[in-house]
Amino acid sequence: MMSRQAFLCSLGSLYLSLLFIFLLMDVYARPANNSVLKEKAADGKDENEILPPDHLNGVKMEMDGHLNKEFHQEVFLGKEMEEFEEDSEPRKNRKKLMVIFSKVDINNDKKIGAKEMQRWIMEKTDEHFQEAVEENKMHFRAVDPDGDGHVSWDEYKIKFLASKGFNEKEIAEKVKNNEELKIDEETQEVLDNLKDRWYQADNPPPDLLLNEEEFLSFLHPEHSRGMLKFMVKEIIRDLDQDGDKKLTLSEFISLPVGTVENQQAQDIDDDWVKDRRKEFEEVIDANHDGIVTMEELEEYMDPMNEYNALNEAKQMIAVADENQNHHLELEEILKYSEYFTGSKLMDYARNVHEEF
């Protein structure tokens, strides 16, 4: 029979062995070199820097024709949108929202009217514009290797393909010698679309060289009237089923959403159609003739359209205007905080008057 001392020694050895195994597992579970991860993250960022973004802040419709679900929050919060996170403390978010209310309420009458909200929307939209301009300066430097203030299509193409994993030196050599590039079909399709967009951003006289301002139009078409028209053409091309360069309601709500497999998915699809129908009939179709022209869609897409901003202000007020006085009080905005900020505040009315 094992003695008590021998048993304790055996137990101690087993404990040390398990501890050693645990430490080894921990070491192998952790990344060996954090700098490698940072380099990979930076590589991913490089690709985003030179590709036009899929989402444009403060623009009502996405490039693929879907409605911008975060539009109300973007034009109400501006750059402060990131501060309202789902895991943020509700009390802090409530205080931030109260500060915003006081800024929108420029006449200090403790309520927000349509004109005040319109002014605020235009101000926040301009914030998104200025942010895009600052980001563009960095992005332009990334694709202007010789620093001459212009980027040729070939320079951009090389950087783009390098971001997709192609060897930059080999691609540059082939482009220089006009050799055929072996590119997969999907990448080639993206490249062709980008080239069309590049042509559009190239202001007269066309030289296929983009300066910093033209490159901004390339990445952010909302900054240029000409590029805004191009974006509208692309959207109508994707949604227009009969080729008349106009959109009917049925065309606008028939954009594929996905296969409906259960009741929950059916409800989501129904809500999607309902939202698009309402936007088409009440907002985009300005003259309510059942047809959306390119001109109507262009006015709708223009983020700096003051009439749209006023119309949007009235809609935003209507959502939370419980007492139907065509103004928003602080309590109403706090109660409907999820609509304005994406963050739902619990116990919104608690200590409101004391804190404000």
Side-chain angles (χ1 to χ4, degrees), residues 61 65 67 239-242 244-256 270 272-285 287-293 296:
M61 188 177 288
L67 299 178
L239 304 184
D240 178 23
Q241 296 174 6
D242 58 12
D244 65 353
K245 298 183 179 179
K246 299 175 183 177
L247 296 180
T248 61
L249 175 60
S250 62
E251 288 173 329
F252 190 69
I253 65 176
S254 63
L255 189 66
D270 288 346
W272 185 87
V273 169
K274 182 180 177 181
D275 289 343
R276 292 183 74 84
R277 178 186 297 274
K278 181 178 180 182
E279 196 73 9
F280 183 97
E281 294 178 340
E282 298 181 12
V283 185
I284 308 177
D285 182 15
N287 61 2
H288 304 292
D289 64 350
I291 299 291
V292 165
T293 64
E296 285 176 318

Side-chain angles (χ1 to χ4, degrees), residues 150-151 198-211 214:
H150 292 85
V151 179
W198 190 275
Y199 282 13
Q200 293 295 324
D202 185 16
N203 291 329
D207 55 8
L208 286 186
L209 296 173
L210 300 191
N211 58 29
E214 291 169 330

Side-chain angles (χ1 to χ4, degrees), residues 51 102 105-107 117 125 192 194 209 224 233 262 333:
L51 273 174
S102 66
D105 179 25
I106 54 175
N107 63 5
M117 185 67 86
T125 301
D192 290 341
L194 288 173
L209 296 173
S224 161
K233 287 180 182 178
N262 52 48
I333 283 188

Side-chain angles (χ1 to χ4, degrees), residues 99-136:
V99 170
I100 291 176
F101 180 89
S102 66
K103 291 179 179 178
V104 184
D105 179 25
I106 54 175
N107 63 5
N108 298 315
D109 63 353
K110 306 302 180 185
K111 58 181 183 285
I112 295 173
K115 285 291 185 180
E116 287 174 315
M117 185 67 86
Q118 178 197 32
R119 178 197 65 84
W120 182 254
I121 288 173
M122 295 297 292
E123 186 177 314
K124 296 296 107 178
T125 301
D126 187 61
E127 273 187 17
H128 289 304
F129 266 51
Q130 296 309 315
E131 189 175 24
V133 170
E134 292 303 314
E135 289 178 355
N136 183 68

